[in-house]
């Protein structure tokens, strides 16, 4: 079935006796197979959220998210929507759902939406952060929330190389072989690399992302930061459009979906840009 048909059908269902509700969701992805519900029953964030919402609504609930995340990847700015006949206030959707969720998933806000809102198709930009703990000794804390890299990384080299990826490009060299996106053409608005003590943060905002795109970018930039490749290698990989020339895929634990942007008319709640343990760094405030 075509995606535009699905979008039309869900919008119509919301207009015929259903309410459309949007939620902001954050989660630690370490013990989940990923966002998407698994037929095998393997734990997923979507399944846990739908089960909790169904208890609050007293009816089956199915959610649609802004962007699916892989196994081990975290979310602190995920947006979902669902349609329901149940009448609940915003507090009930937030606190009631959290009461029924496991400790590593939280609903942070809820908002009734017009029938034409769609968490995925109405999103106009998405933003990820990748957090590296750069130290010779592996961390005992946040071990599943950051990626440890023991090699000294040159952040200035990484930031310089990142500039080659800005703008509109064919990102075929940074997409996974199983990626289902129709086009590899994406637009990156910003790609910043900054150091904060032992933490290195890669912050990237784009129209949309290919499967493994951020983790593959991180793999290229860390190789450059470690001195294994020249700064211009980022441009060579991009222009080569060959995934096999792009180096390793970075681990999932350091990756966070931190923000999804929508047209202002929807007036969705705005929270800080996560993850929460980075909020004290003023340089990351925007």
């Amino acid at each position: 079935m075509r995606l535009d048909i699905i979008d039309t059908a869900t919008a119509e269902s919301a207009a015929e006796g259903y309410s459309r509700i949007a939620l902001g969701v954050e989660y630690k992805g370490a013990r989940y197979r990923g966002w998407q519900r698994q037929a095998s029953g393997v734990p997923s964030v979507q399944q846990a959220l739908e089960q909790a919402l169904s208890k609050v609504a007293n009816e089956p609930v199915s959610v649609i998210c802004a962007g699916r995340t892989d196994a081990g990847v975290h979310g602190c700015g995920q947006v979902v929507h669902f349609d329901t006949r149940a009448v609940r206030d915003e507090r009930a959707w937030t606190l009631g759902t959290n009461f029924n969720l496991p400790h590593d998933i939280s609903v942070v806000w809820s908002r009734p939406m017009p029938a034409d809102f769609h968490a995925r198709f109405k999103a106009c930009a998405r933003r990820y952060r990748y957090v590296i703990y750069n130290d010779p000794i592996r961390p005992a804390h946040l071990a599943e929330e950051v990626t440890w890299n023991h090699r000294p990384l040159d952040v200035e080299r990484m930031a310089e190389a990142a500039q080659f990826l800005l703008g509109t490009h064919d990102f075929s060299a940074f997409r996974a072989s199983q990626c289902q996106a129709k086009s590899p053409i994406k637009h990156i608005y910003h790609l910043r690399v900054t150091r904060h003590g032992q933490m290195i943060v890669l912050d990237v905002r784009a129209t949309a992302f290919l499967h493994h795109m951020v983790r593959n970018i991180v793999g290229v930039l860390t190789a450059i930061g470690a001195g294994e490749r020249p700064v211009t290698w980022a441009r060579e990989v991009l222009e080569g459009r060959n995934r096999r020339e792009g180096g390793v895929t970075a681990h999932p634990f350091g990756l966070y979906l931190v923000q999804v942007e929508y047209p202002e008319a929807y007036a969705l709640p705005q929270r800080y840009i996560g993850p929460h343990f980075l909020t004290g760094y003023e340089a990351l405030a925007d």
Side-chain angles (χ1 to χ4, degrees):
M1 183 179 291
R2 297 203 328 264
L3 293 179
D4 59 316
I5 294 177
I6 296 174
D7 192 18
T8 300
T10 53
E12 290 175 350
S13 70
E16 297 174 357
Y18 287 79
S19 298
R20 178 153 294 183
I21 308 295
L23 304 176
V25 184
E26 63 182 27
Y27 48 89
K28 177 181 175 181
R31 70 184 188 96
Y32 297 99
R33 188 66 178 267
W35 166 267
Q36 190 172 5
R37 186 192 316 109
Q38 304 290 313
S40 62
V42 174
S44 69
V45 181
Q46 181 181 9
Q47 180 184 39
L49 180 60
E50 288 176 344
Q51 289 176 345
L53 284 167
S54 297
K55 291 179 180 179
V56 176
N58 198 30
E59 65 179 16
V61 171
S62 178
V63 303
I64 295 174
C65 72
R68 298 172 184 172
T69 51
D70 292 334
V73 175
H74 314 297
C76 44
Q78 180 71 272
V79 177
V80 309
H81 83 260
F82 62 94
D83 296 334
T84 180
R85 293 183 184 273
V87 178
R88 308 285 188 271
D89 60 23
E90 295 178 23
R91 180 180 175 86
W93 287 125
T94 302
L95 300 183
T97 305
N98 284 341
F99 180 81
N100 291 287
L101 280 170
H103 69 279
D104 48 7
I105 305 175
S106 293
V107 173
V108 296
W109 55 260
S110 65
R111 183 65 55 88
M113 301 302 296
D116 69 342
F117 176 81
H118 195 287
R120 178 182 176 189
F121 298 130
K122 293 299 184 179
C124 48
R126 295 165 177 84
R127 184 174 176 180
Y128 284 84
R129 282 178 172 173
Y130 194 93
V131 186
I132 299 170
Y133 180 76
N134 191 210
D135 191 87
I137 306 300
R138 62 178 172 83
H141 306 289
L142 299 179
E144 295 179 326
E145 284 90 343
V146 299
T147 289
W148 171 48
N149 195 311
H150 69 278
R151 302 169 299 175
L153 297 177
D154 188 327
V155 170
E156 292 184 1
R157 284 171 54 87
M158 295 169 68
E160 182 180 354
Q163 301 311 299
F164 293 120
L165 306 181
L166 298 180
T168 302
H169 301 285
D170 181 332
F171 284 95
S172 292
F174 296 94
R175 74 187 297 183
S177 59
Q178 64 268 39
C179 180
Q180 298 178 357
K182 293 181 179 179
S183 171
I185 307 298
K186 303 298 175 186
H187 181 90
I188 291 183
Y189 295 107
H190 76 238
L191 177 50
R192 304 166 185 157
V193 186
T194 54
R195 179 181 284 278
H196 311 272
Q198 302 307 101
M199 299 286 193
I200 296 175
V201 180
L202 293 89
D203 188 317
V204 55
R205 175 176 173 264
T207 49
F209 292 87
L210 302 168
H211 191 197
H212 285 178
M213 180 173 162
V214 178
R215 291 168 60 190
N216 289 333
I217 288 174
V218 173
V220 166
L221 295 183
T222 52
I224 292 171
E228 298 175 355
R229 297 282 188 164
V231 169
T232 54
W233 186 53
R235 180 180 62 194
E236 294 168 6
V237 171
L238 177 69
E239 294 176 350
R241 302 179 184 177
N242 186 343
R243 174 68 199 112
R244 289 177 293 181
E245 302 298 324
V248 301
T249 301
H251 294 295
F253 283 169
L255 183 58
Y256 294 79
L257 173 60
V258 299
Q259 186 180 37
V260 184
E261 298 177 37
Y262 295 91
E264 292 183 2
Y266 290 120
L268 292 179
Q270 299 297 315
R271 278 170 55 87
Y272 59 80
I273 306 299
H276 64 82
F277 58 84
L278 295 179
T279 55
Y281 298 115
E282 293 184 3
L284 292 170
D286 62 338

